[in-house]
Amino acid sequence: MKMFSQFPQATSLTNDDLLLISQWDGVSAYETKYVKANLAESVDKKEFIARIEQTGVTAPTLTVIKDDFNDTYTTVYNGLGDYAIQGFNSELTSDEEIYINTNNLQAGNFVRTTPQAVNEINIETFDNALNPADGILINPTYIRVTLYL
């Protein structure tokens, strides 16, 4: 079995290779399943990729890198360690995949993302004592939202 993160740009992945897929159930656990690669089928998708930074008691700032949703985005400060990104042309469904790069967070800090509505993703940040905290997204942090059509 191969993992997506282990593939170089040119790969020998075949239709019969099994892929391990983990998807958040939206409540408390990841659902894990194996699927065949089935490369013959094309995957229609929309992607949003942005650099996200947040300091103090303000809404995060976004530097949009890719936006297949073709929308204008608003970020919201909901309270300590609690933010939202609004937009996405109200196209979000239960089929989106949200990934946030946490490689540059200080040790022990973590980020949780949750789809809230068809136009909103909630982002929560925590310090190494598991307390909600601002200023966690200060190093280059990237978010990617992929909606499979």
Side-chain angles (χ1 to χ4, degrees):
M1 177 177 53
K2 299 175 184 173
M3 294 175 50
F4 282 120
S5 62
Q6 295 174 336
F7 287 136
Q9 286 186 348
T11 183
S12 60
L13 185 65
T14 68
N15 285 338
D16 293 323
D17 282 333
L18 291 177
L19 304 175
L20 177 64
I21 307 294
S22 292
Q23 183 175 358
W24 180 249
D25 70 4
V27 180
S28 64
Y30 284 93
E31 176 185 332
T32 303
K33 60 185 174 183
Y34 289 95
V35 296
K36 278 195 172 186
N38 202 3
L39 300 175
E41 293 182 20
S42 65
V43 177
D44 291 328
K45 65 181 179 181
K46 288 188 176 185
E47 275 192 317
F48 169 82
I49 302 171
R51 180 178 176 163
I52 184 169
E53 296 181 82
Q54 189 281 327
T55 59
V57 292
T58 61
T61 58
L62 293 175
T63 303
V64 177
I65 298 166
K66 181 179 181 181
D67 179 21
D68 293 337
F69 293 91
N70 296 313
D71 203 359
T72 301
Y73 297 89
T74 303
T75 57
V76 178
Y77 181 85
N78 294 323
L80 183 64
D82 187 4
Y83 326 102
I85 302 174
Q86 298 171 336
F88 306 99
N89 273 330
S90 297
E91 294 183 54
L92 298 180
T93 68
S94 60
D95 294 324
E96 70 269 351
E97 173 184 274
I98 304 168
Y99 169 79
I100 193 156
N101 176 349
T102 58
N103 292 340
N104 293 324
L105 297 182
Q106 289 183 330
N109 294 345
F110 75 96
V111 178
R112 177 172 53 199
T113 59
T114 312
Q116 292 296 306
V118 294
N119 69 332
E120 181 174 301
I121 292 173
N122 182 255
I123 300 170
E124 297 172 281
T125 56
F126 301 86
D127 63 19
N128 57 13
L130 304 181
N131 298 310
D134 291 329
I136 301 295
L137 304 173
I138 55 174
N139 294 318
T141 304
Y142 296 87
I143 185 167
R144 180 181 68 225
V145 178
T146 306
L147 174 63
Y148 297 98
L149 306 172

